[in-house]
Amino acid sequence: MSLQMALFGSGERVFVDDETGRIAYHPTLFEAYESRRLFERLKAALAWEQETMWMYDHSVAVPRLIARFLPGSELPEELLGAQRRLESFLKTSFNALSVQYYRSGSDSVAWHSDHTEDLIDLPVVAVISLGATREMQVRSKSRPGRSFRCDLEAGSLFVMSGRAQEFWEHHIPKSSKPTEPRMSIALRQRRAGAESA
């Protein structure tokens, strides 16, 4: 069953707001010129890594590049500014950050939810999008099945909070259409002692 979205405030789209968490989309955290400038600066400044994962009986390359910053890490000026903007907007704080670089439509992320054992209780997970618009698909883990899609535009913010990581999972599918690069800045609220970003 697809969800109808509710409209609140200045363009906020609320997809879920119930006992399973809250999931909302804000189309303009950054203006277009800010988004373009941040994308280009991060593309040049970050130490991008090609991670691998074990699938079946062999190691495969993760289909995107990643730059991770552990809790307590010093952030580049551009990322620190983005984090401060986000924290001011949401009126909450974050202590872990990672940046994903989707080089083309062939890059993607599989269905997943954040590991709740690494996060504080009722966490906020926020994703800032830069560059090309890519589709985010979200579905419930339990039945009756619920699902929705959201086009993540440059400068936008996608927020999953409360119990959303327990009840929902999301992914960025591959696209067969010619697609320009996209970047996402994911900010999380980690428990003390959690080592992953």
Side-chain angles (χ1 to χ4, degrees):
M1 177 177 65
S2 293
L3 296 176
Q4 286 291 108
M5 66 185 72
L7 300 178
F8 296 95
S10 57
E12 180 189 40
R13 285 181 265 172
V14 179
F15 294 97
V16 178
D17 192 3
D18 57 25
E19 68 279 359
T20 68
R22 191 173 197 274
I23 303 177
Y25 176 72
H26 305 265
T28 314
L29 181 66
F30 290 93
E31 298 295 336
Y33 76 93
E34 294 177 305
S35 175
R36 287 192 299 269
R37 182 176 61 190
L38 184 55
F39 180 96
E40 292 302 329
R41 289 182 175 177
L42 294 179
K43 180 181 175 182
L46 297 188
W48 299 106
E49 296 182 5
Q50 176 74 72
E51 296 185 344
T52 59
M53 61 182 176
W54 192 256
M55 184 174 288
Y56 304 112
D57 60 350
H58 62 285
S59 180
V60 297
V62 171
R64 60 195 179 280
L65 301 180
I66 302 175
R68 296 186 186 275
F69 298 87
L70 299 176
S73 297
E74 183 175 349
L75 295 177
E77 181 181 350
E78 295 85 359
L79 281 178
L80 184 58
Q83 178 173 330
R84 287 173 174 165
R85 170 84 64 95
L86 175 63
E87 290 177 338
S88 175
F89 181 76
L90 293 180
K91 296 179 173 53
T92 192
S93 60
F94 297 87
N95 63 358
L97 183 153
S98 64
V99 188
Q100 328 289 320
Y101 184 34
Y102 299 80
R103 297 157 292 184
S104 69
S106 296
D107 280 355
S108 62
V109 62
W111 284 107
H112 71 287
S113 55
D114 279 39
H115 298 292
T116 53
E117 64 270 19
D118 294 335
L119 303 174
I120 66 171
D121 293 334
L122 304 178
V124 178
V125 176
V127 178
I128 300 169
S129 290
L130 307 170
T133 298
R134 291 289 296 268
E135 179 186 74
M136 171 86 83
Q137 296 181 2
V138 184
R139 67 186 182 189
S140 59
K141 296 180 183 180
S142 60
R143 297 195 179 280
R146 294 188 285 170
S147 65
F148 62 89
R149 302 164 184 248
C150 181
D151 286 335
L152 305 180
E153 303 165 292
S156 68
L157 172 64
F158 191 83
V159 184
M160 298 169 281
S161 57
R163 302 184 71 186
Q165 302 304 320
E166 296 177 52
F167 289 96
W168 298 86
E169 57 184 1
H170 55 281
H171 89 131
I172 302 289
K174 295 182 185 296
S175 175
S176 59
K177 300 176 182 178
T179 304
E180 293 297 313
R182 171 188 178 257
M183 206 175 284
S184 68
I185 306 171
L187 297 102
R188 299 176 174 88
Q189 297 173 316
R190 294 289 187 190
R191 293 184 187 276
E195 297 182 354
S196 56

